Amino acid sequence: MDAGNDFQLRLKRWRERCEQQLERVLDSRDRLTQRLHEAMRYSTLGGGKRLRPVLVYCTGEALGADAAALDNAAAAVELIHVYSLVHDDLPAMDDDDLRRGRPTCHKAFDEGTAVLVGDALQALAFEVLAGNDDSHLAPALRLAQLRALAYGIGVYGMAGGQAIDLAAVGSTLDAPSLETMHRRKTGALIEASVRLGALGAGLASGAQFDALARYGAELGLAFQIHDDVLDVAGDAAQLGKLTGADAARGKPTYPSLHGLEAAQALALHHRDQALAALTPLGERATTLRQLAHYVVDRNN
Ligand code: GRG
């Protein structure tokens, strides 16, 4: 089998494993909150590329971890990601009707439910990551994972990036501010996914840990720049959402600031930075390298 097919097969297996884990943690028989649960499952299951959990698995695997030691972290990062999508789609944020090819959560249910879906998914992510007595990971590593995830989604991560994004609508940002916004809004959770995978393999510090964190940060920035590019040049049917949304809202993006071609070149530049960061890991990082190419070659 050639390397490309092997990569696609591994991607498919990790996605299936992620789906099983999400099914596991979203299983509830509480009748009083049936509608909330239905909305959480609707938003989470059966869609999306599962990039963040795949990164957890691939990073952990590169360092020799068992998949079972990575399951909770993989589920947790996807729960957080879905929470961010549900809130981001709300009228107070991006006001989107379509997500993953289906009506957004607040369209399929209602706005109040969508707010609660995000809140409950975020809480569930930390509960799952904290683990239980059967957890495969030592308490100190679990604590480091909790801290990494919290940092990645707080003021210096996803929520802060979203605040910069909201404040910038209808205005321009200079290049360094736009880069900071992207690094926080999207890059920080992607970097956290890599950190969680390393911690799940027992690696908590040192040159290799720092190299992986750098890989995650550069990959995250490349991912969001490519996302900006897809919003201009992508295909709505493949994306499962409308294109041109950033320009319609007057959002500063890489194509609006630098032009489409320069934005594409910058996505490749940060992919290359991500690849360069992997040098100390040698052969073990083959799948992580393939993921870096995938992130800027994808059409959805
Ligand atoms: C706290 C009210 C409140 C809102 C928070 C944190 C937040 C809203 C939004 C975060 C911003 C955000 C959604 C960033 C991610 C942008 C992005 C590129 C999403 C798409 O990710 P993909 O392509 O999606 O990985 P799939 O569907 O494949 O999982």
Side-chain angles (χ1 to χ4, degrees):
M1 188 184 295
D2 70 34
N5 284 342
D6 185 43
F7 174 64
Q8 289 302 330
L9 197 67
R10 290 154 82 83
L11 211 51
K12 183 167 172 283
R13 288 216 193 101
W14 291 133
R15 283 173 174 154
E16 284 166 3
R17 188 169 182 113
C18 171
E19 198 69 23
Q20 287 163 5
Q21 296 308 314
L22 292 170
E23 272 285 357
R24 171 177 67 89
V25 303
L26 285 166
D27 181 30
S28 166
R29 285 166 190 84
D30 178 18
R31 283 183 43 237
L32 281 176
T33 53
Q34 217 170 357
R35 182 174 166 80
L36 176 59
H37 246 96
E38 199 191 318
M40 289 164 75
R41 290 175 61 86
Y42 171 86
S43 303
T44 309
L45 299 173
K49 295 180 289 298
R50 310 302 196 198
L51 172 70
R52 296 146 190 85
V54 166
L55 274 169
V56 172
Y57 284 124
C58 290
T59 306
E61 188 192 44
L63 299 170
D66 281 346
L70 305 164
D71 283 334
N72 284 346
V77 292
E78 187 65 13
L79 293 170
I80 292 288
H81 172 56
V82 175
Y83 130 65
S84 81
L85 299 179
V86 170
H87 278 192
D88 192 49
D89 289 335
L90 282 167
M93 300 267 170
D94 273 2
D95 195 8
D96 274 311
D97 294 352
L98 211 54
R99 169 70 66 185
R100 294 176 167 174
R102 294 189 295 179
T104 45
C105 183
H106 66 277
K107 286 284 168 188
F109 293 84
D110 57 82
E111 280 181 36
T113 300
V115 171
L116 292 173
V117 163
D119 294 342
L121 287 175
Q122 182 175 188
L124 181 62
F126 282 100
E127 185 187 337
V128 167
L129 191 57
N132 53 30
D133 292 344
D134 301 333
S135 287
H136 296 254
L137 273 189
L141 289 168
R142 273 191 269 164
L143 199 55
Q145 285 186 322
L146 290 165
R147 203 178 294 124
L149 187 60
Y151 186 84
I153 70 172
V155 172
Y156 300 105
M158 188 173 74
Q162 181 77 351
I164 300 171
D165 187 325
L166 277 180
V169 170
S171 66
T172 50
L173 286 178
D174 59 19
S177 304
L178 182 61
E179 182 178 318
T180 300
M181 179 178 98
H182 278 19
R183 283 189 185 278
R184 291 195 192 182
K185 187 179 75 165
T186 309
L189 182 58
I190 289 179
E191 179 184 335
S193 304
V194 175
R195 285 176 181 264
L196 261 55
L199 289 162
L203 183 70
S205 62
Q208 295 215 345
F209 185 81
D210 293 345
L212 283 165
R214 229 175 10 260
Y215 161 79
E218 291 301 313
L219 185 75
L221 181 55
F223 179 90
Q224 182 57 55
I225 298 172
H226 188 65
D227 204 73
D228 286 359
V229 166
L230 287 175
D231 193 62
V232 176
D235 175 69
Q238 282 179 325
L239 287 168
K241 61 178 186 180
L242 295 176
T243 51
D246 293 337
R249 282 185 207 109
K251 278 193 169 196
T253 63
Y254 270 66
S256 72
L257 185 67
H258 299 282
L260 185 59
E261 272 182 31
Q264 284 165 325
L266 283 164
L268 298 185
H269 167 73
H270 289 287
R271 173 206 62 191
D272 291 343
Q273 296 287 102
L275 290 170
L278 292 176
T279 304
L281 281 107
E283 285 297 300
R284 290 186 296 170
T286 298
T287 316
L288 293 175
R289 286 190 188 90
Q290 288 169 320
L291 272 172
H293 289 286
Y294 162 78
V295 153
V296 293
D297 291 341
R298 71 199 162 91
N299 50 23
N300 72 350

